[in-house]
Amino acid sequence: MEMRAVYASCLAELMEKDRHVCVLDADLAKASGTRALYDRFPKQMFDCGVAEQNMASIAAGLSSYGFKPWIESFTPFASRRICDQIAISIVYAKRNVKIVGTDPGIAAELNGGTHMSMEDIGVLRSIPGMVIFEPADPVQLRAAMPVLNAYDGAVYIRLFRKELPEIFPTDYRFDLFRADTLREGKDLSLFVSGFQLKDALEAAEILAGEGIDAEVINVHTIKPIDRDKVIASARKTGAVLTVENHNVIGGLHSAVLEALAQEKIPACAVGVQDRFGEVGKMPYLRRAIGLTVENIVETAKKAVALK
Amino acid sequence: MSVDLKKISLDIRCDVLKSIGHLGVGHIGGCLSVVELLSVLYFEAMNIDPSDPKKPGRDRFICSKGHAGPAVYAALANRGYFDRKELLTLNEGGTNLPSHCDMNRTVGIDMTTGSLGQGFSCAVGAALGSKLEEDGALIYTLIGDGESQEGQIWEAAMFAAAKNLDNLIAFTDYNKLQIDDLVAKVNDVAPLAEKWAAFGWNVIEVEDGNDVDQVSEAVRHAKLGVGSGKPTMVILNTLKGCGVPWIVDLGPGNHNCPITEEQADAAIAALRGEE
């Protein structure tokens, strides 16, 4: 199922229940999957046009009036472009605004390097108090939406908007601040967020065939990271691999290593190696940037060898 | 409420000098230029209740040029939001009165501002909120002339007009100076009236924005814009540092400048002598 379809239907449910929930766009409602909601919720949907800074601060103003705004755009324009508005109008001012960035990292595909945010988590993670969430499948997103809406504060939602397979069971219980263990293992801790969860699970199966028992933990909330779970798993397995669709500087790898700073545990990363993106379809970009299942398997072996 | 706005302006101006003088440095110029506006808003125009600062449906003032915080605090204290003695804590560690307005610290402040351009968009958001709530509130906001160089101001200007936010009354503190030099020399914002009109706003120009009677009349006039379908911009031609000749004479240097307690007291005595 398309992630944006799940996202839009959840938003519709939230707006139906609470007239203070509203959505602001910067001319990308179609891309976000929310364009159809304009007719249904004319007093809760607002298109600001191509003016992301204004959108972010308007949302803060609406929040000061008791509204619960969600703002949405492509990841680079929902993060680095409006970094100061997020930092000051929203987070510093303690406003209840949800910031949705779609097409993270290589998911921007044919829009290419200009639209490919390899740094959004890093940029926003350094803002005090910011919560950063990246869903891995439609089930998790559906479970998260009401929780995110109920959370009284700023959350950045890094949303892969296209089709993703369902991974979590239908009875999945979501906790915004607790990471989920999808596969228990004893040789390696594999921490992953977003669409690469599926890749990580596939890689774990391959590794199992080669005698490496990998634990797969989905870190859906990169900040605040579930320190206890990260440390407990790393201590148990003694080796760490992070997998992310983001620069290895500033994102999940950095967050995991910060949590493990006082542990003597080797760690490797599959992620964007401090480079910009480029135009292409996902299969090409995975290969070009090094985000394939094979990359995960090979890097996992290196991490285990470092023990 | 029958009030002597000239007397109130004098009290606020003296309290600005006292609080910044006590500290020794601050954004004096751009605080003194907006004193008359704050007197009119807080003591005449706005539907507010100091005993119930969060009252639903209240009018709001969002000071987008957040560095005029000390002037807003002086107005709030004189209006009874908190004790005037607290003004002497300005910018001290742990104070509730930071240099720039903070809605989470100061009673009576409705929006955190300081990063220029943003407060104006926040005011637009509040005006939209008020329209949705149908609470009849008016949203007042103040921007600087230097601040008008921010692109975000014009994004918000476009949106407010497009969404017919006629419950929004904005003011430009057109004192013609910014930190580095004259606004006209740095990156001229003129012609302001034509710009705002072109963006679809009602525009009112006030020849002397430091004359309370002119400001009061302009605000009365601006309120008539409610129902017009257009937001209103009141351009206040002001004097940066107004009320203290040596501060005025500093020109662009009075944006954020040192002032001793003795200098502040002397300025206050001179102002009071003119009373």
Side-chain angles (χ1 to χ4, degrees):
Chain A
M1 192 170 188
E2 275 205 343
M3 292 290 273
R4 65 179 163 183
V6 174
Y7 164 69
S9 76
C10 290
L11 274 181
E13 284 170 27
L14 294 167
M15 285 195 286
E16 189 79 56
K17 283 185 198 147
D18 181 354
R19 70 182 180 85
H20 286 113
V21 176
C22 57
V23 178
L24 282 80
D25 281 293
D27 201 32
L28 283 172
K30 284 182 186 164
S32 301
T34 52
R35 188 71 189 89
L37 300 179
Y38 274 76
D39 291 334
R40 199 170 147 200
F41 301 98
K43 291 192 160 185
Q44 288 161 274
M45 300 288 303
F46 305 98
D47 204 324
C48 301
V50 190
E52 296 83 4
Q53 305 178 107
N54 190 40
M55 171 175 72
S57 297
I58 282 180
L62 279 166
S63 162
S64 79
Y65 232 90
F67 288 84
K68 299 165 189 166
W70 291 63
I71 65 174
E72 46 186 38
S73 184
F74 286 146
T75 40
F77 316 132
S79 58
R80 64 177 185 232
R81 177 153 195 138
I82 56 169
C83 182
D84 190 43
Q85 283 76 13
I86 292 174
I88 301 304
S89 289
I90 297 175
V91 187
Y92 183 75
K94 299 184 181 168
R95 297 299 81 216
N96 182 4
V97 178
K98 305 299 173 294
I99 301 143
V100 181
T102 65
D103 275 0
I106 63 168
E109 293 193 303
L110 300 188
N111 273 325
T114 56
H115 287 50
M116 227 162 251
S117 58
M118 305 308 197
E119 71 298 300
D120 53 321
I121 296 174
V123 166
L124 299 180
R125 203 165 66 89
S126 54
I127 297 174
M130 191 83 212
V131 174
I132 298 174
F133 167 70
E134 181 173 31
D137 88 331
V139 179
Q140 187 181 63
L141 177 60
R142 179 166 286 285
M145 286 294 286
V147 177
L148 296 166
N149 188 64
Y151 178 76
D152 186 9
V155 183
Y156 176 67
I157 297 135
R158 194 174 198 250
L159 182 65
F160 186 91
R161 67 188 168 108
K162 296 165 191 161
E163 195 91 18
L164 281 185
E166 293 190 359
I167 296 171
F168 285 92
T170 46
D171 63 349
Y172 170 56
R173 296 280 296 265
F174 176 75
D175 183 330
L176 180 57
F177 301 113
R178 291 284 166 268
D180 294 306
T181 305
L182 281 101
R183 186 184 201 284
E184 295 199 358
K186 59 178 182 5
D187 299 330
L188 170 76
S189 298
L190 208 162
F191 298 107
V192 60
S193 66
F195 76 83
Q196 289 159 299
L197 176 57
K198 177 172 169 288
D199 301 348
L201 289 166
E202 275 181 38
E205 284 304 312
I206 295 168
L207 288 165
E210 300 184 24
I212 294 174
D213 186 14
E215 180 149 290
V216 178
I217 295 180
N218 174 225
V219 184
H220 53 66
T221 299
I222 295 134
K223 187 184 177 186
I225 198 164
D226 185 349
R227 266 181 75 85
D228 292 347
K229 182 161 270 185
V230 167
I231 292 170
S233 175
R235 280 182 184 165
K236 180 177 79 173
T237 64
V240 164
L241 174 64
T242 57
V243 177
E244 64 189 313
N245 169 32
H246 184 279
N247 196 341
V248 294
I249 298 171
L252 178 66
H253 187 64
S254 298
V256 166
L257 290 201
E258 284 160 21
L260 297 175
Q262 292 176 29
E263 309 292 323
K264 292 173 183 168
I265 298 170
C268 293
V270 168
V272 182
Q273 299 296 328
D274 200 26
R275 56 157 288 181
F276 283 109
E278 60 182 293
V279 82
K281 296 288 283 179
M282 289 279 277
Y284 166 78
L285 291 166
R286 281 168 179 270
R287 289 194 305 275
I289 290 177
L291 303 180
T292 63
V293 172
E294 294 69 38
N295 291 131
I296 299 173
V297 171
E298 292 312 309
T299 318
K301 289 179 192 168
K302 280 184 198 162
V304 172
L306 287 170
K307 283 212 259 188
Chain B
M1 184 165 51
S2 175
V3 291
D4 180 350
L5 291 172
K6 283 197 176 68
K7 164 80 166 57
I8 287 160
S9 298
L10 177 65
D11 290 344
I12 293 173
R13 179 164 277 115
C14 290
D15 280 347
V16 167
L17 287 162
K18 191 78 195 164
S19 62
I20 297 179
H22 184 71
L23 184 71
V25 65
H27 294 102
I28 302 178
C31 282
L32 295 178
S33 60
V34 298
V35 164
E36 282 70 25
L37 171 67
L38 296 173
S39 307
V40 170
L41 291 180
Y42 281 99
F43 286 83
E44 187 178 70
M46 287 170 69
N47 170 28
I48 47 173
D49 181 357
S51 68
D52 188 5
K54 298 276 182 196
K55 190 174 152 187
R58 69 189 178 281
D59 290 345
R60 300 186 187 209
F61 172 65
I62 295 174
C63 188
S64 189
K65 48 167 285 185
H67 52 284
V72 182
Y73 308 149
L76 288 169
N78 277 277
R79 188 69 173 82
Y81 280 83
F82 48 82
D83 197 307
R84 285 178 57 244
K85 281 183 204 149
E86 200 174 334
L87 294 173
L88 296 182
T89 70
L90 179 71
N91 263 355
E92 282 179 2
T95 185
N96 289 320
L97 307 178
S99 59
H100 296 77
C101 299
D102 187 333
M103 64 187 292
N104 296 303
R105 282 194 174 269
T106 313
V107 178
I109 294 291
D110 276 322
M111 182 49 70
T112 297
T113 55
S115 186
L116 294 177
Q118 295 187 29
F120 189 61
S121 292
C122 295
V124 169
L128 177 60
S130 170
K131 285 275 183 189
L132 295 168
E133 294 290 30
E134 298 177 356
D135 63 3
L138 292 180
I139 309 301
Y140 296 91
T141 185
L142 170 66
I143 63 174
D145 45 9
E147 182 180 11
S148 302
Q149 291 157 347
E150 289 279 7
Q152 188 170 356
I153 291 291
W154 304 100
E155 292 183 5
M158 199 185 301
F159 181 91
K163 305 296 176 187
N164 306 116
L165 300 178
D166 58 9
N167 57 342
L168 178 66
I169 298 176
F171 303 87
T172 300
D173 176 22
Y174 198 12
N175 57 43
K176 326 288 187 302
L177 296 174
Q178 58 189 113
I179 296 174
D180 279 349
D181 207 330
L182 300 173
V183 174
K185 279 194 183 173
V186 173
N187 185 11
D188 201 358
V189 298
L192 273 183
E194 287 85 343
K195 282 191 176 74
W196 287 99
F199 272 77
W201 287 53
N202 301 314
V203 180
I204 298 169
E205 291 188 82
V206 177
E207 192 183 331
D208 183 355
N210 296 117
D211 177 329
V212 271
D213 295 329
Q214 288 187 36
V215 176
S216 172
E217 179 55 31
V219 173
R220 268 197 298 277
H221 185 183
K223 284 187 176 183
L224 300 177
V226 177
S228 70
K230 292 176 166 189
T232 297
M233 170 54 77
V234 182
I235 298 168
L236 301 168
N237 286 287
T238 57
L239 186 61
K240 201 164 183 178
C242 181
V244 187
W246 71 265
I247 295 177
V248 173
D249 289 344
L250 291 174
N254 74 21
H255 180 82
N256 188 0
C257 65
I259 176 171
T260 64
E261 204 145 23
E262 293 71 29
Q263 285 174 312
D265 287 341
I268 291 166
L271 283 164
R272 294 281 180 204
E274 290 167 13
E275 197 173 353

